[in-house]
Amino acid sequence: MSLRALVIEDDKVSLLLVSRMLEKRGWQVDAAGNGRAGMALMADRRYDLVVTDIFMPDQEGLETISQIRRTYPGLRILAMSAGGARPEFDYLAIARSIGATATIRKPFTPSALLAQVDQIMAVPS
């Protein structure tokens, strides 16, 4: 049985790269361009992991993480971000505080992303 991941990312290149990295590891991957689209997919499918960007149009990542945590409390979430326009805020720390299982700062290498995914999946949900 293969694992299923949902990648939520508005940048098409990043979305494709993260999806391909997971697929090469044997994951079934669905993709969404923002949190609202991601939540709609989650209503119809069960996921083992959600990888979400923080800064996106329509519904951003922090709101999405909070919503996932309320609706699917055991789901593993990896939040990713390059930072943001306001350096005084550590958005990845905020993501962890509201329910992200782990975080990764962009840009990252494929091996760093996959190591983070392995670590998350080793933790009981």
Side-chain angles (χ1 to χ4, degrees):
M1 182 177 84
S2 67
L3 297 170
R4 184 177 290 279
L6 173 60
V7 179
I8 306 172
E9 166 67 80
D10 63 312
D11 179 77
K12 289 179 180 18
V13 172
S14 295
L15 180 66
L16 183 64
L17 289 174
V18 172
S19 296
R20 293 287 185 263
M21 286 180 221
L22 292 171
E23 288 170 348
K24 284 184 178 182
R25 272 283 182 90
W27 286 79
Q28 290 182 21
V29 179
D30 291 329
N34 62 58
R36 183 165 290 123
M39 293 305 298
L41 287 173
M42 292 178 71
D44 296 328
R45 291 203 168 113
R46 186 190 72 76
Y47 291 98
D48 301 289
L49 172 68
V50 173
V51 179
T52 185
D53 190 24
I54 299 293
F55 297 101
M56 299 176 287
D58 206 18
Q59 180 174 318
E60 49 79 32
L62 296 176
E63 181 182 351
T64 302
I65 291 165
S66 181
Q67 191 175 354
I68 291 169
R69 196 48 70 221
R70 283 191 312 271
T71 312
Y72 309 97
L75 185 57
R76 295 168 177 98
I77 303 168
L78 175 59
M80 56 185 178
S81 180
R86 301 189 58 187
E88 67 271 22
F89 291 109
D90 183 345
Y91 290 98
L92 292 176
I94 295 168
R96 283 189 300 276
S97 74
I98 63 171
T101 311
T103 60
I104 190 165
R105 188 165 305 281
K106 294 178 186 177
F108 47 78
T109 63
S111 60
L113 176 78
L114 295 173
Q116 190 67 273
V117 168
D118 289 346
Q119 185 176 353
I120 290 170
M121 296 311 295
V123 176
S125 62

